[in-house]
Amino acid sequence: MSISVRFAPSPTGYLHVGGLRTALYNYLYAKGENGRIVLRIEDTDQSRKVEGAVGQLMSAFDVMGIQFDESPKNEGECGPYFQSQRLNLYKKHVGELVDKGLAYPCFCSSERLDTLRKEKQALKLSTQYDRHCLSLTKDEIKEKSESEPHVIRLKVPDSESITFNDTVRNDVTFNTEEIDDQVLLKSDGFPTYHLANVVDDYHMEITHVIRGEEWLSSTPKHILLYNAFGWDAPKFAHVPLLLNPDKSKLSKRQGDVAVEDYLKKGILPEALINFVALLGWNPGDDREIFSMDELISEFSLERIHMSGAVFNQEKLSWMNNQYLKEL
Ligand code: GLU
Ligand code: ZN
């Protein structure tokens, strides 16, 4: 089977160094396996739209020497792959789940949900949705659908233990009791991250999902969706968080996080690639200087480690100096 991976950023207006590392690992894996890498823009949150974000992202990747086999050509242009241009596809698939009885419309107002959450919080109960709308009759649903805004929720199985394999963490087990009836389709007709991500990974025939650890808690929800659709799930590899030297999550407050900032400060693209490659992966010995081609031939998912990786600015300067000396 041939390998397909993807990098699936939300357009924020700059390329985060963590995003660069995720994209790089996907790229190295795809190139090393003669596979394909897709760039997919996850722009379904209309409130977080940033003008020009995709253009900026594409030029950052250009400078960094990462090319995608399939990527959006121009902002606003139809084609691979902006999620905001694929709304019908998500709607179609969510409709299938409703027909199968695996998802259901929810008409609850945000006021009702708020009150419910507060009441449950006060009683120290889990704040999951109470399935109020699951008991509506077909006729009630039909009548309400015509006049009231609603979302579609996944009907999460009551109490099942589900295990998936993560290349970095081995078996990960969760119980469906811990999972809320996820919203799949919002009342504005846009999909949530979970729905769009799974539908697209399926349609784009993605075989390996390599992404940041912050998405690990979403994976059970994705597995439930693959099961509901009757699709095979891809393989997963969650790469460790990037940390500040004090071990807190890498943040703007403690230094730059945009690739563009480092380039402006005189860091060479090759040095930055080399540096982020070693944040979460190692070659198994103490070599530290790698060209892109060397990384492609050395990289393997098995050597990604689980513990967080400290983003050490001095190390980056040292590495940059090694590259400058070579010039
Ligand atoms: N849109 C998500 C992000 O911004 C994608 C996560 C994933 O790769 O599934 O990183
Ligand atoms: Zn409801």
Side-chain angles (χ1 to χ4, degrees):
M1 189 182 61
S2 61
I3 297 298
S4 287
V5 298
R6 77 327 188 254
F7 179 58
S10 300
T12 54
Y14 63 94
L15 177 58
H16 191 285
V17 286
L20 173 66
R21 186 200 46 179
T22 301
L24 177 66
Y25 284 7
N26 277 284
Y27 178 77
L28 296 176
Y29 188 58
K31 293 297 130 184
E33 301 285 331
N34 264 318
R36 126 189 190 271
I37 178 167
V38 169
L39 177 66
R40 177 173 82 223
I41 305 300
E42 301 209 325
D43 58 349
T44 59
D45 188 346
Q46 290 303 86
S47 64
R48 287 175 49 197
K49 257 191 152 163
V50 180
E51 238 20 84
V54 176
Q56 254 157 332
L57 196 69
M58 298 307 293
S59 50
F61 279 124
D62 237 25
V63 176
M64 299 313 289
I66 293 180
Q67 298 95 29
F68 294 90
D69 300 306
E70 292 165 37
S71 63
K73 298 294 173 283
N74 289 300
E75 201 145 358
E77 190 175 277
C78 259
Y81 294 107
F82 289 96
Q83 289 187 326
S84 60
Q85 295 173 356
R86 299 161 64 82
L87 301 186
N88 287 336
L89 182 70
Y90 311 125
K91 244 183 221 163
K92 179 188 116 189
H93 283 299
V94 99
E96 291 164 10
L97 295 187
V98 173
D99 291 344
K100 287 201 261 181
L102 298 174
Y104 60 96
C106 167
F107 300 88
C108 293
S109 64
S110 45
E111 291 77 33
R112 174 173 191 275
L113 296 175
D114 267 357
T115 315
L116 183 70
R117 195 174 313 119
K118 283 184 194 138
E119 281 171 6
K120 289 198 170 188
Q121 249 160 13
L123 296 168
K124 298 210 160 49
L125 293 173
S126 119
T127 55
Q128 293 185 353
Y129 177 59
D130 65 354
R131 296 194 153 169
H132 178 73
C133 293
L134 192 56
S135 56
L136 294 173
T137 64
K138 274 211 170 91
D139 287 340
E140 285 171 319
I141 292 177
K142 197 163 173 252
E143 197 193 307
K144 279 172 166 291
S145 297
E146 277 157 22
S147 55
E148 292 177 35
H150 57 277
V151 302
I152 305 289
R153 290 182 183 271
L154 181 66
K155 190 173 155 196
V156 172
D158 278 336
S159 177
E160 264 175 40
S161 165
I162 298 186
T163 299
F164 64 91
N165 187 271
D166 182 280
T167 312
V168 182
R169 282 144 233 274
N170 296 318
D171 283 352
V172 180
T173 300
F174 62 95
N175 195 294
T176 54
E177 264 168 22
E178 298 150 28
I179 298 173
D180 206 356
D181 280 1
Q182 297 299 304
V183 173
L184 301 177
L185 199 67
K186 297 181 266 187
S187 57
D188 63 1
F190 278 76
T192 55
Y193 157 68
H194 305 299
L195 175 70
N197 195 267
V198 165
V199 167
D200 278 347
D201 282 345
Y202 170 74
H203 276 278
M204 295 171 190
E205 299 179 0
I206 300 305
T207 58
H208 292 71
V209 168
I210 305 164
R211 64 181 167 203
E213 186 184 329
E214 61 270 36
W215 303 102
L216 185 65
S217 62
S218 295
T219 308
K221 299 166 189 169
H222 299 175
I223 300 284
L224 289 176
L225 274 170
Y226 284 106
N227 292 348
F229 284 121
W231 298 337
D232 288 335
K235 295 205 161 61
F236 293 96
H238 288 90
V239 307
L241 293 179
L242 295 187
L243 306 175
N244 294 305
D246 68 3
K247 301 284 164 85
S248 59
K249 196 175 159 187
L250 186 69
S251 68
K252 261 186 190 164
R253 251 172 302 136
Q254 298 204 26
D256 293 324
V257 292
V259 165
E260 292 86 336
D261 294 335
Y262 287 99
L263 298 176
K264 265 187 227 144
K265 286 201 290 199
I267 302 289
L268 298 169
E270 298 82 353
L272 190 55
I273 288 284
N274 191 158
F275 175 73
V276 299
L278 295 172
L279 294 175
W281 170 87
N282 69 72
D285 52 44
D286 51 15
R287 284 171 301 155
E288 291 197 295
I289 302 297
F290 293 92
S291 67
M292 186 72 101
D293 284 341
E294 287 164 343
L295 286 172
I296 290 172
S297 64
E298 296 272 342
F299 183 79
S300 74
L301 294 179
E302 287 69 33
R303 297 210 67 88
I304 294 177
H305 55 73
M306 220 163 90
S307 51
V310 173
F311 195 99
N312 181 329
Q313 310 269 349
E314 286 88 61
K315 179 82 186 276
L316 174 57
S317 305
W318 171 83
M319 197 166 268
N320 198 46
N321 282 329
Q322 305 302 305
Y323 278 84
L324 286 170
K325 275 188 221 154
E326 284 290 307
L327 288 179

